[in-house]
Amino acid sequence: MKVKPVSAERLPDLLRSMPKAELHIHIEGSLEPELIFALGRRNGIPLAYPDVEALRRAYVFEHLQSFLDVYHAGTMVLRTEQDFYDMARAYLVRAHADNVVHAEIFFDTQTHTGHGLDAAVVINGLHRACMDAASQFGMSASLILCFLRHLSEQDAFEALEQAMPLRDKIVGIGLASSEVGHPPEKFARAFARCRELGFRLVAHAGEEGPPAYIWSALDILKVERIDHGVQSVQDPALMQRLLRDRIPLTVCPLSNLKLRVFPTLAQHNLGRLLDAGIVATVNSDDPAYFGGYLNQNFTQTFAALGLSAQQAWQLAQNSFNASFIDAGLRRNYTDRLGQVFETFDA
Ligand code: ADE
Ligand code: ZN
């Protein structure tokens, strides 16, 4: 679609009002400090910080691992199915307010089973929140179980086995946590099994790790999307591969800023990826920790990089094309997207 130009003053309104899909959000990363304290009180779990403000002040990260340590501490307050419901509900309410019409939500069970919970407590709570968002907001939401790559492949197989009774509540399998030193090929057999079982496959690769990890996610794990993937620009042959196979990248600009993948948003390579024709999307990753939900990722990145209304449409269109929704729903959402752009008062 050829989009008419929109003034810099009106662009944030367009970004906020356009329907879009979010494909890279870790639900545990949407746990706001207020909810951490409320759940801590509800479950009688003491926290290492005196109050919400002190906890929020601790959200300064050097790199991925320093974030993961704080993120993991936050998950200690999650105990019951209702806790998982409340966490997902809070995210879905915010996503709906951002005109997110479809969300593919990452979660992991290994963190929580490591704290003594049953995987069913996690999955049933999250799934119920997705169902309620569908009936109350008319949005679609599905769940992607991420294996934790700092743990062993055997642990991933165990997580898969525990999730299998709830298989119908999970659309896909992903790979998250500490990237460097844990290449995708460590999970070759687990992903092959998930593929046989009919799961859709994605993996984090090329966030901090090298282009080689993106190649092995594609060639060995056979994933359909790459989460982050911003390091692909270092490897021209990889860029050609992403273009040829139209492999989407779920890019997370504010995450990359907070975790120092790029020193400033103005140095982010999202514009470069779009100019090269890569199917890039914008996502929030862990919004409670990185300073913004989806619309803030869009508005701040567009301001920093001087991106256009045409690129806004492309990113929203990419988000639907890269999603795991069926063709009918995709047409419905992309039609709605076209209508918003046609009728927007530029
Ligand atoms: N888990 C939560 N956020 C993550 C990220 N940005 N990279 C890898 N694993 C994660
Ligand atoms: Zn992520």
Side-chain angles (χ1 to χ4, degrees):
M1 175 173 171
K2 180 87 183 78
V3 171
K4 56 183 185 258
V6 171
S7 68
E9 299 79 67
R10 297 285 292 132
L11 195 52
D13 269 350
L14 178 63
L15 294 167
R16 284 189 277 265
S17 59
M18 67 181 187
K20 48 187 104 57
E22 174 147 62
L23 307 177
H24 185 162
I25 154 80
H26 300 262
I27 201 64
E28 296 90 346
S30 74
L31 203 49
E32 292 286 345
E34 289 78 4
L35 191 52
I36 291 180
F37 272 83
L39 295 179
R41 270 193 302 277
R42 184 154 99 189
N43 293 324
I45 295 166
L47 294 165
Y49 297 89
D51 54 36
V52 163
E53 287 69 36
L55 177 55
R56 200 168 258 125
R57 274 198 301 277
Y59 292 177
V60 177
F61 311 113
E62 303 296 317
H63 43 54
L64 175 59
Q65 191 58 52
S66 63
F67 156 69
L68 289 171
D69 295 341
V70 174
Y71 165 91
H72 185 259
T75 65
M76 298 298 289
V77 299
L78 295 160
R79 291 279 143 193
T80 66
E81 186 187 310
Q82 188 64 37
D83 298 340
F84 287 91
Y85 176 90
D86 291 345
M87 172 172 64
R89 174 73 183 179
Y91 163 71
L92 288 160
V93 166
R94 286 176 182 264
H96 176 55
D98 276 1
N99 287 308
V100 171
V101 294
H102 176 70
E104 293 180 8
I105 298 175
F106 292 146
F107 71 104
D108 81 79
T109 51
Q110 287 165 289
T111 299
H112 314 295
T113 54
H115 301 162
L117 275 60
D118 195 307
V121 164
V122 180
I123 298 168
N124 285 330
L126 300 179
H127 182 257
R128 187 158 55 86
C130 292
M131 293 298 97
D132 284 355
S135 61
Q136 293 165 15
F137 304 148
M139 66 184 285
S140 44
S142 50
L143 297 173
I144 297 179
L145 169 63
C146 284
F147 297 141
L148 297 183
R149 66 201 303 161
H150 67 277
L151 301 177
S152 69
E153 186 176 47
Q154 187 52 40
D155 289 337
F157 271 113
E158 278 166 30
L160 177 62
E161 198 175 307
Q162 290 161 0
M164 278 313 283
L166 301 142
R167 197 247 169 278
D168 292 349
K169 297 181 177 173
I170 302 171
V171 70
I173 298 291
L175 186 63
S177 187
S178 322
E179 184 184 11
V180 174
H182 302 284
E185 52 269 32
K186 180 175 164 187
F187 296 90
R189 288 169 307 169
F191 269 66
R193 179 69 188 131
C194 293
R195 196 154 166 259
E196 277 170 13
L197 291 167
F199 286 108
R200 310 300 297 262
L201 303 180
V202 301
H204 283 55
E207 177 184 16
E208 289 181 342
Y213 285 19
I214 302 175
W215 283 108
S216 58
L218 295 173
D219 290 337
I220 299 175
L221 302 190
K222 303 199 185 305
V223 301
E224 301 168 70
R225 290 197 304 246
I226 296 289
D227 296 311
H228 293 292
V230 289
Q231 304 301 338
S232 52
V233 297
Q234 294 175 33
D235 182 341
L238 177 58
M239 292 289 277
Q240 285 310 312
R241 171 70 184 281
L242 299 176
L243 284 173
R244 187 194 76 190
D245 293 347
R246 299 195 55 72
I247 305 289
L249 302 185
T250 62
V251 176
C252 307
L254 290 178
S255 163
N256 294 156
L257 179 67
K258 277 287 209 176
L259 300 187
R260 307 187 190 210
V261 174
F262 296 93
T264 67
L265 261 192
Q267 287 160 283
H268 199 283
N269 64 16
L270 178 65
R272 194 168 154 199
L273 292 167
L274 288 172
D275 289 345
I278 300 285
V279 185
T281 64
V282 169
N283 305 272
S284 67
D285 204 7
D286 300 285
Y289 293 91
F290 298 152
Y293 286 78
L294 194 51
N295 282 354
Q296 284 155 305
N297 272 273
F298 270 103
T299 54
Q300 291 186 35
T301 308
F302 270 62
L305 295 177
L307 301 180
S308 65
Q310 183 69 47
Q311 288 167 313
W313 176 83
Q314 188 68 59
L315 284 162
Q317 179 75 29
N318 288 350
S319 75
F320 298 124
N321 289 343
S323 74
F324 297 144
I325 53 181
D326 66 34
L329 195 53
R330 179 170 295 123
R331 199 164 324 108
N332 175 317
Y333 289 153
T334 54
D335 285 353
R336 281 162 62 181
L337 175 65
Q339 276 159 24
V340 166
F341 273 76
E342 265 161 34
T343 57
F344 187 75
D345 182 6

